[in-house]
Amino acid sequence: MMGIGVSPGIAIGKAFVLKEIPTNSPKQSYFNYQEENQRLEKCLSTVRLQLENIRAKAEAKLGDKAQILDAQILITQDEELLTFVRGKLKEGLSAEAAVHDGVEFYAELLASMDNDYMRERAADIRDVGQRMIRHLLGVEQSDLAHLPESYIIVAHDLTPSDTATMDQERVLGFVTEIGGRTSHTAIMARTLEIPAVVGMVDGTSIIKTGDLVVFDGESGELVLNPSEETLMVYSAKQKKERESRARLQALKEQPSMTQDGRQVLIAANIGTPKDCEGALKHGAEGVGLFRTEFLYLNRDTLPSEDEQFQAYKAALEEMAPNSVIIRTLDVGGDKEIPYLGLGKESNPFLGYRAIRVCLRQTEIFKTQLRALLRASVYGKLGIMYPMISSLDEVRQANAILADTKAELATEGIAVSPDVEVGIMIEIPSAALISDILAKEVDFFSIGTNDLIQYTTAVDRLNENIASLYTPYHPGVLRLVQKVIENGHNSGIWVGMCGEAAGETALIPLLLGMGLDEFSMSAISVLEARELIGKLNYAEIQAWVPEVLAIGTAEGIKEALRLKSIRG
Ligand SMILES: C=C(OP(=O)(O)O)C(=O)O
């Protein structure tokens, strides 16, 4: 079977298939009201306890992200819902049918409201309802927080709450039916260093819990119930991979330098300050992208200035003296924050998102900037604005930053004089005017995840057109080259924090174009350093024009492959 390899590593283990359970439970009636009522009450307290246990466990590991479970615990105590369910029981329905009807009634009511927050609550109610019905039907499915042994998780998709609460020690790999290289599951898998394959169509129907599964998180190849021979091949690959990781550790303290002395920076992408640990373990020379959305997700209100300050300070202190580039709020697209009430849009990736929200709802932006500036004295900070499409936006954002700095100065709060300010280049219009934008900022970081989708009109999350989503498209690469050239002409450094920066086959070309900083999943840092150490910058620079003259993504890929074979 073939999927899309999104997190490297060989996974070998038993499958644990997360089935969506049917919500249309049969309308059974009961024979004894007392008995049925007792079943319901027992189920309520068991499920509440389960959720509280998951929450406690998740909190120890994940801090704020565990708040996602609070809403679910509250549902098990919701008087209105419970009165409805108990009423159904009195009408003669079985406990599971009563729960089903109650949950569906309220979920549909919430889902029909013109409010994202309420719609989100509908999903929560259904989640809790499924857990209760499963318990009542005796088809309890161990949740990912309490896996009895180590498994490869197979699911249609994994939600942020699944990955936030799962028992990481016992998850050998992820296989999902949907998603692409830049989907939530993929990014989480790489951060957690768990091999993963997405886009495995019909995976949950073909694979059964208990089946032996082996897969390669790089190539996307999966073998179900492999022969002895195949198993041996994969075991050998896994052993080799572990040896190679151990060997790479020797490069941890080394600079990222080519044979002829061109030095670049290899940094890591993180989602929370906790991820700095992994970044340092893998020898990252800083953080090239701190996605601050995670501070805003899975909660009901905006994080306070102080809460944010603590998170930014922690990351800066941990990575000092190396720099941490912190991206201001990039809400929208696939990152919904229901309590902001931004409303449903027909084209969310082209809509009211990121810097567009920050420039209109300036209080949100200012709170974040204040927290960032206050934290700046604890390390080397870079502030980065996402989704810049025009010069006006950069100027407006910088004006708000200047106001915020002045405000802090009058309050007598110290701010580092060395804060760098940069922008993500992820929209073609910004790439095309990067010569002009370069005069306003200290650095560019190319966000290829979005730049690819906006340049080629290919939705980055749609597995149906995943083959069209490629960083090797000559149109994308020409824009990348233009941005680097324009940045350098204005004397600023240019980095890349999209997933393409960690794509082994592409690294030589990016290096040859003059990219100064590569920011990637921590797990890829040492491999990239090893590769760069084998390259000769002057030679590669000489063949960049030849590669960029090729008209197709496949042609470019092939040319890069041949170059790497020839050395
Ligand atoms: C790094 C990027 O941003 P996101 O968080 O949207 O993946 C990008 O677009 O390349």
Side-chain angles (χ1 to χ4, degrees):
M1 293 168 76
M2 204 65 189
I4 308 163
V6 292
S7 181
I10 301 292
I12 303 177
K14 268 199 251 168
F16 183 93
V17 183
L18 272 183
K19 280 269 183 214
E20 315 225 319
I21 61 156
T23 46
N24 53 340
S25 109
K27 290 223 181 324
Q28 304 153 349
S29 52
Y30 59 81
F31 300 108
N32 181 329
Y33 171 74
Q34 294 303 341
E35 236 171 58
E36 212 55 23
N37 196 31
Q38 268 174 12
R39 284 182 72 222
L40 176 67
E41 296 306 324
K42 190 160 170 282
C43 164
L44 273 171
S45 56
T46 310
V47 164
R48 197 174 303 137
L49 199 70
Q50 277 179 357
L51 290 169
E52 277 165 1
N53 284 339
I54 298 175
R55 195 203 186 288
K57 201 161 175 194
E59 189 163 37
K61 269 201 231 153
L62 296 142
D64 284 357
K65 281 186 200 164
Q67 285 177 1
I68 197 169
L69 292 154
D70 281 341
Q72 299 208 346
I73 294 171
L74 285 177
I75 290 167
T76 65
Q77 297 160 332
D78 188 288
E79 268 317 311
E80 212 178 314
L81 171 68
L82 294 185
T83 307
F84 186 100
V85 171
R86 288 184 185 119
K88 287 282 165 193
L89 214 61
K90 283 189 184 134
E91 282 174 23
L93 293 193
S94 67
E96 43 272 49
V99 169
H100 170 263
D101 282 10
V103 159
E104 277 310 304
F105 178 79
Y106 283 99
E108 266 170 35
L109 202 70
L110 291 169
S112 66
M113 291 184 182
D114 190 19
N115 179 316
D116 283 348
Y117 177 78
M118 290 302 177
R119 274 197 291 265
E120 193 85 354
R121 296 286 78 81
D124 279 335
I125 286 203
R126 285 200 170 104
D127 232 30
V128 176
Q130 291 212 346
R131 185 179 281 277
M132 287 179 66
I133 294 173
R134 200 185 285 141
H135 178 78
L136 286 162
L137 293 173
V139 286
E140 198 104 24
Q141 169 188 298
S142 333
D143 51 59
L144 296 183
H146 294 104
L147 291 169
E149 52 183 300
S150 296
Y151 282 110
I152 289 172
I153 308 299
V154 182
H156 176 65
D157 193 16
L158 289 168
T159 64
S161 71
D162 290 330
T163 48
T165 56
M166 73 183 188
D167 183 351
Q168 288 166 27
E169 322 282 277
R170 294 198 164 170
V171 175
L172 302 170
F174 292 154
V175 177
T176 63
E177 293 181 323
I178 63 167
R181 214 183 137 64
T182 62
S183 62
H184 166 83
T185 312
I187 290 174
M188 249 351 237
R190 282 195 296 278
T191 306
L192 299 173
E193 300 177 25
I194 293 172
V197 172
V198 302
M200 187 65 73
V201 182
D202 294 332
T204 63
S205 326
I206 299 167
I207 305 169
K208 308 274 175 266
T209 291
D211 277 347
L212 183 62
V213 167
V214 296
F215 74 79
D216 181 339
E218 191 123 36
S219 69
E221 189 184 20
L222 181 147
V223 185
L224 184 58
N225 295 321
S227 63
E228 275 296 309
E229 206 178 318
T230 309
L231 196 57
M232 267 164 62
V233 171
Y234 272 82
S235 300
K237 265 192 190 178
Q238 193 179 51
K239 185 162 170 268
K240 211 167 143 205
E241 181 193 88
R242 286 183 180 156
E243 285 166 359
S244 132
R245 277 196 198 163
R247 179 177 44 79
L248 287 172
Q249 279 297 313
L251 300 176
K252 206 172 140 182
E253 309 293 335
Q254 301 296 312
S256 310
M257 197 184 294
T258 62
Q259 302 226 315
D260 53 342
R262 158 90 176 147
Q263 190 169 350
V264 294
L265 203 89
I266 307 186
N269 293 347
I270 63 167
T272 72
K274 264 176 167 280
D275 301 336
C276 289
E277 207 182 302
L280 290 172
K281 186 176 104 190
H282 291 287
E285 302 161 279
V287 165
L289 168 65
F290 179 167
R291 292 181 162 97
T292 58
E293 299 74 69
F294 290 98
L295 289 169
Y296 293 73
L297 290 172
N298 299 338
R299 49 188 296 149
D300 294 335
T301 52
L302 283 162
S304 68
E305 178 185 319
D306 229 51
E307 235 174 290
Q308 295 190 56
F309 162 73
Q310 294 298 347
Y312 306 149
K313 173 174 175 270
L316 284 162
E317 281 181 336
E318 182 127 14
M319 298 307 293
N322 290 326
S323 72
V324 180
I325 308 289
I326 305 185
R327 178 174 73 186
T328 57
L329 182 59
D330 189 24
V331 58
D334 59 332
K335 299 170 204 125
E336 276 188 58
I337 302 181
Y339 60 84
L340 289 182
L342 300 182
K344 275 267 170 272
E345 296 181 324
S346 39
N347 286 307
F349 273 107
L350 303 180
Y352 183 51
R353 57 171 297 202
I355 199 72
R356 300 169 183 179
V357 174
C358 288
L359 293 179
R360 218 186 283 174
Q361 291 172 239
T362 50
E363 277 319 303
I364 297 176
F365 193 36
K366 272 186 117 170
T367 304
Q368 186 171 34
L369 292 176
R370 278 181 65 95
L372 285 166
L373 292 169
R374 278 174 55 201
S376 66
V377 291
Y378 294 93
K380 195 167 170 220
L381 171 68
I383 296 178
M384 176 158 77
Y385 311 135
M387 280 290 288
I388 292 293
S389 66
S390 70
L391 177 61
D392 289 340
E393 285 164 344
V394 184
R395 289 190 168 156
Q396 281 174 44
N398 273 341
I400 296 173
L401 182 68
D403 280 353
T404 313
K405 269 190 192 165
E407 207 174 274
L408 289 170
T410 50
E411 291 170 34
I413 296 173
V415 169
S416 163
D418 301 321
V419 177
E420 286 197 308
V421 179
I423 56 173
M424 300 239 345
I425 300 283
E426 50 188 337
I427 300 181
S429 62
L432 291 166
I433 58 164
S434 51
D435 54 330
I436 298 169
L437 300 178
K439 298 189 172 64
E440 311 284 321
V441 291
D442 301 313
F443 67 89
F444 286 155
S445 185
I446 305 173
T448 45
N449 301 347
D450 274 340
L451 187 64
I452 296 167
Q453 77 167 346
Y454 295 135
T455 305
T456 57
V458 177
D459 179 346
R460 63 190 258 189
L461 301 178
N462 186 339
E463 68 283 355
N464 198 23
I465 46 171
S467 61
L468 299 177
Y469 181 87
T470 167
Y472 297 92
H473 191 295
V476 174
L477 291 172
R478 285 178 188 208
L479 283 180
V480 168
Q481 189 205 27
K482 202 83 215 130
V483 171
I484 298 172
E485 193 181 299
N486 285 337
H488 287 175
N489 285 343
S490 281
I492 67 169
W493 63 265
V494 183
M496 179 177 285
C497 60
E499 294 304 318
E503 175 108 5
T504 315
L506 202 55
I507 288 176
L509 184 66
L510 298 172
L511 180 88
M513 288 178 182
L515 195 72
D516 303 292
E517 180 237 32
F518 297 69
S519 191
M520 57 190 69
S521 306
I523 198 174
S524 309
V525 167
L526 289 173
E527 205 181 319
R529 183 166 300 146
E530 181 182 55
L531 170 63
I532 286 171
K534 290 180 185 159
L535 301 172
N536 182 301
Y537 181 51
E539 271 175 26
I540 294 177
Q541 263 186 313
W543 57 250
V544 168
E546 192 189 312
V547 177
L548 287 183
I550 299 170
T552 65
E554 278 315 309
I556 289 179
K557 247 180 162 168
E558 182 58 11
L560 291 175
R561 195 182 66 80
L562 290 174
K563 296 278 179 208
S564 76
I565 290 171
R566 270 188 250 138

